[in-house]
Amino acid sequence: MKALVAVKRVIDYNVKVRVKADNSGVDLSNTKMSINPFDEIAVEEAVRLKEAGVIDEIIVASIGPKESQEQIRAALALGADRGVLVLTDDKPYPLQVAKILKNIAESESTDIILLGKQAIDDDNNQTGQMLAALMGIGQGTFASEVKVEGDKVNVTREIDGGLQTVALDLPAVITTDLRLNEPRYAKLPNIMKAKKKPLDEKTPADFGVDMASKQEIIKVVPPAERKAGITVGSVDELVDKLKNEAKVI
């Protein structure tokens, strides 16, 4: 059984994002980049399934610039077997990503496709759903528990009213949520071994995908600065301000 895990190169979640002076986008110069945290959870889940004897091979795929191989190597150090880097300097949008992943999944005959429920840079939460629709297979989104039983997988997913468990035939698409697991740290020997693991390079043209953008970014601005708080002298004063100034009660 094979698993395909998609990882995205994003600004590290501990880094404060800076906007370019001309408001044309986000400033990435001298900025630490990492695997999207939700995708890292997907990698960890795939590795756990492999350790349990459910999965035989883990393929990690990323779409982006040459530097994205750093994130693939990081996933290989965590336990994945080989990587596929689809090289493009264009910003990939969810539908384009889904089309490329569909081609990779079908060419590799993967049984489980794992990816984060969303990326922390654009927060679209669309790729997994689009991928499942394009492939015509089942999807288990926002997974907090994954159990593979034969040719089926039970996915417990988080919904507004609590938890819902769906039984899916394989192959299936699973998008991971924060409570699914806690990713491990890569050990130094595994980091060294990851440098020798195979990594194939492709282009969107190899999969017949046009990377031309259908969207235009007009302006990027940072969020408004929060005003400093104030100290109140009594409960009555607090209630008065909440009622008459903040108007929340």
Side-chain angles (χ1 to χ4, degrees):
M1 188 177 290
K2 288 184 183 180
L4 172 65
V5 184
V7 299
K8 185 177 183 181
R9 176 182 172 87
V10 299
I11 296 176
D12 189 89
Y13 70 92
N14 287 312
V15 174
K16 184 177 180 180
V17 176
R18 305 186 308 272
V19 175
K20 292 180 179 178
D22 61 359
N23 297 112
S24 63
V26 174
D27 186 1
L28 300 180
S29 58
N30 300 315
T31 301
K32 182 183 178 183
M33 307 294 284
S34 302
I35 297 176
N36 176 49
F38 291 104
D39 296 340
E40 193 173 16
I41 292 170
V43 174
E44 173 66 24
E45 190 64 21
V47 173
R48 292 188 183 190
L49 289 172
K50 184 180 178 182
E51 291 173 342
V54 174
I55 289 174
D56 303 308
E57 185 181 26
I58 302 170
I59 305 160
V60 177
S62 188
I63 304 162
K66 188 79 172 179
E67 293 79 6
S68 295
Q69 64 180 305
E70 298 171 8
Q71 282 63 53
I72 294 179
R73 293 292 181 193
L76 295 176
L78 293 174
D81 298 292
R82 56 189 174 95
V84 178
L85 172 58
V86 182
L87 286 166
T88 178
D89 290 325
D90 296 314
K91 174 181 171 59
Y93 287 88
L95 183 57
Q96 295 164 327
V97 174
K99 288 179 178 179
I100 292 173
L101 292 178
K102 172 182 180 291
N103 279 278
I104 296 174
E106 290 178 345
S107 64
E108 295 286 352
S109 300
T110 53
D111 303 281
I112 297 177
I113 303 139
L114 286 157
L115 60 159
K117 69 172 184 177
Q118 65 196 78
I120 63 171
D121 53 0
D122 52 26
D123 279 328
N124 281 322
N125 181 20
Q126 295 174 339
T127 302
Q129 292 88 331
M130 289 179 172
L131 175 58
L134 288 172
M135 296 185 68
I137 59 177
Q139 57 178 293
T141 55
F142 322 126
S144 60
E145 185 178 9
V146 175
K147 288 185 177 180
V148 178
E149 299 176 353
D151 59 352
K152 292 185 180 293
V153 57
N154 292 326
V155 178
T156 300
R157 55 191 303 268
E158 299 188 1
I159 58 175
D160 290 340
L163 298 176
Q164 178 189 64
T165 300
V166 293
L168 308 171
D169 293 325
L170 296 177
V173 174
I174 300 171
T175 70
T176 57
D177 211 341
L178 286 173
R179 279 161 287 280
L180 179 58
N181 61 53
E182 184 175 344
R184 69 194 68 189
Y185 290 99
K187 297 178 181 179
L188 182 57
N190 293 336
I191 294 174
M192 301 306 293
K193 291 177 183 177
K195 295 179 180 180
K196 297 181 180 180
K197 290 183 178 181
L199 196 164
D200 295 331
E201 291 187 357
K202 302 285 186 180
T203 66
D206 293 332
F207 304 105
V209 177
D210 180 13
M211 297 302 291
S213 175
K214 303 297 189 294
Q215 300 179 21
E216 179 186 358
I217 296 176
I218 298 174
K219 190 177 184 182
V220 177
V221 295
E225 294 283 343
R226 291 185 63 181
K227 295 181 179 179
I230 61 171
T231 303
V232 296
S234 65
V235 173
D236 291 338
E237 184 182 355
L238 172 62
V239 172
D240 179 69
K241 289 187 177 296
L242 290 174
K243 184 175 181 180
N244 299 313
E245 293 184 17
K247 299 187 184 301
V248 295
I249 60 173

